Amino acid sequence: MNEMQSAALPQAKPEEIITLLFVDDEANILSALKRLFRPFGYRIFTAEGGAAGLEIMARETVDLVISDMRMPEMNGAEFLEKVRDGWPDTVRILLTGYAEIGATIDAINKGRIYRYISKPWEDNDITLTVRQALETKLLEREKTRLEALTLKQNEELKNLNATLEDRVKARTEEVRQTMGFLEVSHEKLKKSFITSIRVFSNLIEMREGRMAGHSRRVADLARTLAQRLGMKDAEVQDVFLAALLHDVGKIGLPDRLMEKSFSSLTSEERTEVVKHPAKGEAALMALEQLHGAAKFIRGHHERFDGLGYPDKLAGLAIPLGARILAVANDYDAVQLGTIVNKRLNQNEALAYIQEGRGNRYDPTVVDAFLGKMAKPVAESAETRPEIMLSSGQLQAGMKLSRDMMGNNGNLLLSKDYVLDAQLIGQIKNFERLENQLFTIWIYAKKGD
């Protein structure tokens, strides 16, 4: 007769309940074992012979078996040998009498039992033996689990290491490409920004025909002087932008003032005109990229001797960019007749700047300017050759080597602009519309 009792281990999860199987042909022995182990919370099965015990083993997961040695049909040694063959992880314990030493040895050899216990047993001895056997089994099970986990992790680590270098290379290349795309995008944005400023500068000059090209010429000269005087690239850029936009504060002036030279203005008119540097600064302060340029615009009519406007700054208190802009602006303006009542030629304009050295202008800036005019900076060995073409010779992909200007001096396309088929068509249409032919300078290809 088979009997079963199930109970949970103290503080144990259901999946951690230990299952015991007692096999003996004497019912009183099975009852005694059940009573002894019931308080420990084990799940207990009993069988009255080896065949019945094997049936239970086949359908249940059994952690430990205690089998009597002397049983009919199949003794304990034979039964435990079959358990070993079918369920090698199950702990096997043999109950044996003193007179069965030979059979016990056979069970040890064939069944590879964990331990044998002599009958009659001591309750403390048998419970302690079972506890120790189960602890050993659980330790071995955990060891096996950890070894399998370690093996799996080692394989994963091995695979990771094998692919890590390739993954790092791939990621590095991805980052490099991303940085390249960002640099290209930044450069395009920068060029578009500069072009927008130059177009806006042309719009400012359209109010007075004689001013066409003035801001562009001032910007080119101011940039060259800033470079000669060792300004940083970012500062050179600010000087260039300030030169393009230095007259932005004049937008609100009436036409009658725009048409007069500064020397011919009345006192009241001068009071109105001298506000334009401060107005120009205020107009640009909303754009963070133009803060540096705005500061130079405010100071470009200050004088080195402190008699300028709007703040009457003197000497090195005037920002260097503003001191540079003052020289570049006045050199072009006196040739246009916007400062004195007549237009000066180039030599007269040079003399005008030289006469202002130390009073109107910073001597260091004037010296750099005169040196530039006497001996232009030699072209870099890396300067690309260029060729002049007509619109009919243009091809998509060509890049402008100079600004493309209209006959009135207005900027049409900026230097370094890359032409495409649509833009070439627009150039040709504009030539027909305005009845004029453009001079277009393109970077020459190697071998041209």
Side-chain angles (χ1 to χ4, degrees):
M1 177 179 179
N2 296 336
E3 298 181 9
M4 182 273 284
Q5 177 179 353
S6 177
L9 282 171
Q11 299 179 348
K13 298 178 182 179
E15 62 270 18
E16 295 175 342
I17 295 177
I18 301 299
T19 300
L20 308 182
L21 171 60
F22 303 139
V23 182
D24 199 304
D25 60 335
E26 296 182 37
N28 61 328
I29 297 295
L30 295 177
S31 296
L33 289 171
K34 285 196 298 182
R35 285 194 302 272
L36 178 60
F37 286 97
R38 184 182 298 119
F40 295 99
Y42 299 130
R43 182 170 174 250
I44 298 173
F45 290 90
T46 61
E48 295 181 352
L54 293 175
E55 291 179 3
I56 294 174
M57 292 290 300
R59 69 173 186 266
E60 301 291 344
T61 300
V62 177
D63 297 290
L64 182 142
V65 174
I66 298 178
S67 174
D68 187 31
M69 180 61 200
R70 183 174 292 180
M71 295 184 297
E73 299 181 1
M74 184 185 304
N75 64 29
E78 295 170 339
F79 169 69
L80 293 178
E81 182 181 1
K82 293 182 180 296
V83 172
R84 185 205 70 182
D85 293 340
W87 302 272
D89 292 336
T90 300
V91 180
R92 299 171 293 281
I93 296 177
L94 182 67
L95 287 176
T96 181
Y98 290 114
E100 299 169 333
I101 187 61
T104 300
I105 294 174
D106 191 43
I108 293 173
N109 292 333
K110 294 182 178 180
R112 296 181 185 175
I113 63 174
Y114 171 77
R115 188 167 299 175
Y116 70 89
I117 299 173
S118 299
K119 293 192 297 185
W121 64 77
E122 289 290 336
D123 287 353
N124 287 337
D125 289 344
I126 193 170
T127 55
L128 181 59
T129 297
V130 168
R131 180 178 294 275
Q132 291 175 341
L134 291 172
E135 288 176 352
T136 300
K137 174 183 174 63
L138 293 176
L139 287 174
E140 290 178 350
R141 179 186 296 172
E142 182 65 11
K143 176 174 174 291
T144 301
R145 186 188 71 82
L146 291 175
E147 287 176 346
L149 177 61
T150 302
L151 181 62
K152 178 182 177 182
Q153 290 176 339
N154 285 341
E155 287 296 323
E156 291 176 350
L157 183 60
K158 182 179 178 181
N159 292 334
L160 179 61
N161 288 335
T163 60
L164 183 59
E165 185 175 353
D166 292 338
R167 292 169 65 185
V168 169
K169 287 181 180 179
R171 181 57 178 163
T172 301
E173 178 62 20
E174 180 182 341
V175 171
R176 188 193 66 77
Q177 290 182 358
T178 300
M179 291 300 296
F181 293 148
L182 288 176
E183 289 175 1
V184 171
S185 298
H186 175 73
E187 190 62 27
K188 287 183 178 179
L189 286 174
K190 181 179 177 181
K191 287 183 178 179
S192 296
F193 176 70
I194 298 298
T195 299
S196 299
I197 295 297
R198 299 179 83 161
V199 170
F200 183 55
S201 173
N202 283 337
L203 293 176
I204 297 172
E205 294 177 352
M206 287 178 67
R207 290 197 58 198
E208 176 58 60
R210 64 178 175 170
M211 296 297 290
H214 168 66
S215 294
R216 178 178 56 83
R217 292 189 297 272
V218 172
D220 290 340
L221 176 56
R223 177 168 55 187
T224 299
L225 294 178
Q227 292 169 339
R228 278 177 168 266
L229 292 169
M231 296 185 76
K232 297 178 180 179
D233 290 345
E235 295 172 328
V236 172
Q237 178 83 344
D238 286 341
V239 170
F240 180 73
L241 295 176
L244 287 174
L245 298 173
H246 70 278
D247 281 337
V248 66
K250 292 182 178 180
I251 290 179
L253 293 177
D255 290 343
R256 60 182 177 79
L257 297 184
M258 297 289 291
E259 295 169 355
K260 287 186 176 183
S261 64
F262 188 79
S263 63
S264 66
L265 295 174
T266 66
S267 176
E268 292 79 6
E269 290 172 336
R270 287 194 179 190
T271 300
E272 189 67 23
V273 170
V274 298
K275 295 178 182 178
H276 84 266
K279 289 182 177 180
E281 179 193 36
L284 301 180
M285 289 306 293
L287 293 174
E288 183 177 352
Q289 302 96 317
L290 295 177
H291 282 185
K295 179 178 66 174
F296 297 155
I297 289 174
R298 182 181 182 92
H300 81 281
H301 279 298
E302 300 288 356
R303 288 174 51 119
F304 201 70
D305 57 10
L307 299 178
Y309 59 88
D311 302 311
K312 297 191 178 301
L313 300 178
L316 301 184
I318 307 169
L320 177 57
R323 286 178 267 146
I324 292 172
L325 185 53
V327 171
N329 176 55
D330 285 5
Y331 172 70
D332 195 76
V334 293
Q335 296 181 69
L336 296 174
T338 61
I339 294 180
V340 294
N341 288 329
K342 68 171 185 174
R343 295 190 179 206
L344 305 183
N345 60 36
Q346 185 177 19
N347 290 332
E348 291 171 334
L350 287 171
Y352 181 88
I353 297 298
Q354 192 168 14
E355 289 171 3
R357 185 182 186 276
N359 46 63
R360 287 192 300 270
Y361 313 116
D362 178 355
T364 302
V365 177
V366 172
D367 292 344
F369 166 74
L370 295 175
K372 188 267 179 190
M373 301 306 294
K375 185 178 180 181
V377 177
E379 287 188 344
S380 168
E382 298 181 357
T383 300
R384 293 175 57 182
E386 58 183 355
I387 55 175
M388 185 178 68
L389 301 177
S390 67
S391 61
Q393 296 172 301
L394 297 177
Q395 297 179 8
M398 289 182 170
K399 182 185 289 188
L400 296 179
S401 61
R402 302 183 189 181
D403 290 339
M404 182 176 168
M405 312 300 297
N407 287 346
N408 59 359
N410 289 333
L411 175 69
L412 300 178
L413 290 173
S414 294
K415 175 183 176 181
D416 291 328
Y417 204 101
V418 179
L419 302 177
D420 56 27
Q422 181 179 1
L423 193 56
I424 293 171
Q426 291 176 347
I427 292 172
K428 293 177 179 178
N429 289 336
F430 194 71
E431 283 182 328
R432 288 192 292 268
L433 180 65
E434 296 295 322
N435 193 27
Q436 61 175 318
L437 297 177
F438 295 124
T439 298
I440 305 164
W441 289 90
I442 302 294
Y443 287 117
K445 297 180 180 179
K446 292 182 179 181
D448 286 352

